[in-house]
Amino acid sequence: MELHILQFIWFVLTALLLAVFLIMGGFDFGEGMLCAFSKNPKVREHLIKNILPYWDANQVWLITAGGALFAAFPVAYSEVLSQMYVPVMLLLCFLVIRVVAIEFYFSEEQRWWRNFCAIMLAISSITSVVLIGVALGAIFGGEVLLRKESFTENFLRLFTPLSMASALLCFFFFGVQGALFASIKSANYNELVVLFNKYAKRMLFGLLFAFVLFAGVLLWKNQGKVNPATLCGFLVACYIPLRIASRLMRKNKAMWAFVCTSAFALITVFALSFLTYPNIIPAVKGYTEGLSILEASSSAKTLEIMLWVALVGVPLAIAYNIYAHLVFSRKK
């Protein structure tokens, strides 16, 4: 298979893996975030019980997306990891704290212990989501390639209007996914369904606002790099599933709203990826020329071997996720 075809396939696969993580990790991290909005021990226990069977499988998608970037585009991987060393290390620390809080929540029955674990889960989930949003915004904005002399400047350069809008967008998206999934999993408890639907509606309102803000910053930052009509067309395509989800939640149809918000994540990731193609990290006008997949990719042989690995591994991961949801749904 020719190199340029393999590069395109891996560009699409990397985007797909990122989208799957946002969808699956969305409800996982989102339910952890919701622990901050409820002091009721029963509600918190219900949320953590929903997370327990799935958190490890969901975080595999983040590892897989990182692994795909490392194997297929090692130059881009090295740029991202080296230039965002501090945010990445902070993210790893909070992921560890989050997992410990989930796994040890039920190890003790004392109220203070469970409250402590719930608070740690909420803080680590919110901080992780914000860091993921900032990182994605910095990568898509191209700021990750802007090197500064001092450590402080290198860290602060990541916090741009686009990366902050991206962080806000991720916060509300993960919150919506978490509330909707919690509502779906609470079908046998009417009072919980009402509570989580209320959270979902509020988060969805915030998500609509955050997306409009993100779209505005994106249009302002575009500076003629992409045809404005094309960019607006993609933004409208991303916005439509959110409007449908909002209408569905007026009728308390959490399952279909979850499908629509998941479609929003998928469409948004692919729309933004298409806008940057053939660059894997976009150019910053007047500063950098970006990083194209041609410059960043591995050899044709490496890409071909990894493609065969992906064709076996990804379906197995999907099958495992489906199996886990079916099994734990039955037990519920």
Side-chain angles (χ1 to χ4, degrees):
M1 196 177 293
E2 293 185 19
L3 179 60
H4 69 278
I5 296 175
L6 287 166
Q7 289 170 338
F8 176 76
I9 291 171
W10 272 103
F11 183 80
V12 172
L13 275 176
T14 304
L16 178 62
L17 291 169
L18 175 60
V20 173
F21 165 70
L22 292 176
I23 294 167
M24 303 299 290
F27 73 75
D28 187 340
F29 283 80
E31 288 195 86
M33 291 166 54
L34 291 180
C35 288
F37 301 100
S38 177
K39 295 181 180 179
N40 188 324
K42 291 184 178 179
V43 174
R44 286 178 169 179
E45 284 183 17
H46 182 78
L47 288 168
I48 294 171
K49 283 179 180 177
N50 283 340
I51 298 172
L52 264 172
Y54 310 117
W55 73 261
D56 50 351
N58 291 338
Q59 286 190 189
V60 164
W61 294 109
L62 177 61
I63 297 168
T64 307
L69 186 66
F70 170 74
F73 304 105
V75 178
Y77 179 87
S78 65
E79 287 287 347
V80 170
L81 268 293
S82 61
Q83 298 304 314
M84 294 200 301
Y85 182 80
V86 173
V88 169
M89 293 308 296
L90 284 173
L91 175 60
L92 291 175
C93 288
F94 281 110
L95 288 177
V96 171
I97 294 170
R98 181 174 177 275
V99 170
V100 171
I102 294 170
E103 291 293 333
F104 286 90
Y105 180 87
F106 293 104
S107 65
E108 298 289 342
E109 294 185 1
Q110 289 92 335
R111 179 65 59 83
W112 71 267
W113 173 256
R114 294 194 173 185
N115 285 341
F116 174 73
C117 287
I119 291 169
M120 288 297 100
L121 173 59
I123 292 172
S124 58
S125 295
I126 291 170
T127 310
S128 297
V129 167
V130 170
L131 287 170
I132 289 169
V134 169
L136 291 176
I139 293 169
F140 180 72
E143 283 80 9
V144 71
L145 295 178
L146 300 179
R147 294 178 176 83
K148 302 290 184 180
E149 291 185 3
S150 73
F151 172 85
T152 305
E153 286 179 327
N154 263 324
F155 180 69
L156 293 178
R157 84 189 191 284
L158 302 175
F159 295 88
T160 65
L162 184 62
S163 67
M164 296 306 292
S166 174
L168 189 66
L169 186 66
C170 282
F171 174 84
F172 282 111
F173 172 75
F174 279 62
V176 167
Q177 290 291 91
L180 290 174
F181 188 79
S183 177
I184 294 166
K185 289 293 182 180
S186 307
N188 297 327
Y189 308 95
N190 290 332
E191 67 280 3
L192 289 179
V193 170
V194 172
L195 176 65
F196 293 136
N197 282 350
K198 182 175 74 173
Y199 285 157
K201 289 172 184 176
R202 290 177 179 177
M203 286 288 185
L204 193 52
F205 178 80
L207 180 58
L208 286 165
F209 169 78
F211 180 74
V212 171
L213 178 64
F214 178 80
V217 174
L218 198 60
L219 286 168
W220 167 71
K221 186 178 172 61
N222 183 44
Q223 298 177 344
K225 291 188 289 186
V226 179
N227 186 299
T230 303
L231 181 56
C232 288
F234 277 119
L235 292 174
V236 169
C238 298
Y239 184 75
I240 289 172
L242 291 185
R243 288 301 304 169
I244 296 172
S246 182
R247 289 180 177 274
L248 288 168
M249 281 312 297
R250 291 176 190 171
K251 301 177 182 179
N252 294 318
K253 295 184 177 180
M255 175 66 80
W256 288 108
F258 183 85
V259 171
C260 288
T261 53
S262 298
F264 161 76
L266 189 66
I267 294 169
T268 302
V269 169
F270 275 97
L272 296 178
S273 299
F274 179 84
L275 291 172
T276 63
Y277 186 82
N279 282 349
I280 194 164
I281 301 177
V284 179
K285 192 173 182 180
Y287 294 96
T288 71
E289 297 179 355
L291 185 64
S292 71
I293 59 173
L294 180 64
E295 301 169 311
S297 78
S298 298
S299 65
K301 189 66 175 177
T302 301
L303 294 178
E304 191 169 356
I305 292 171
M306 289 304 300
L307 182 59
W308 285 108
V309 172
L311 289 173
V312 175
V314 172
L316 285 175
I318 294 171
Y320 171 76
N321 274 267
I322 294 172
Y323 174 75
H325 281 275
L326 290 174
V327 168
F328 287 103
S329 293
R330 263 200 312 272
K331 288 184 178 181
K332 188 74 175 176

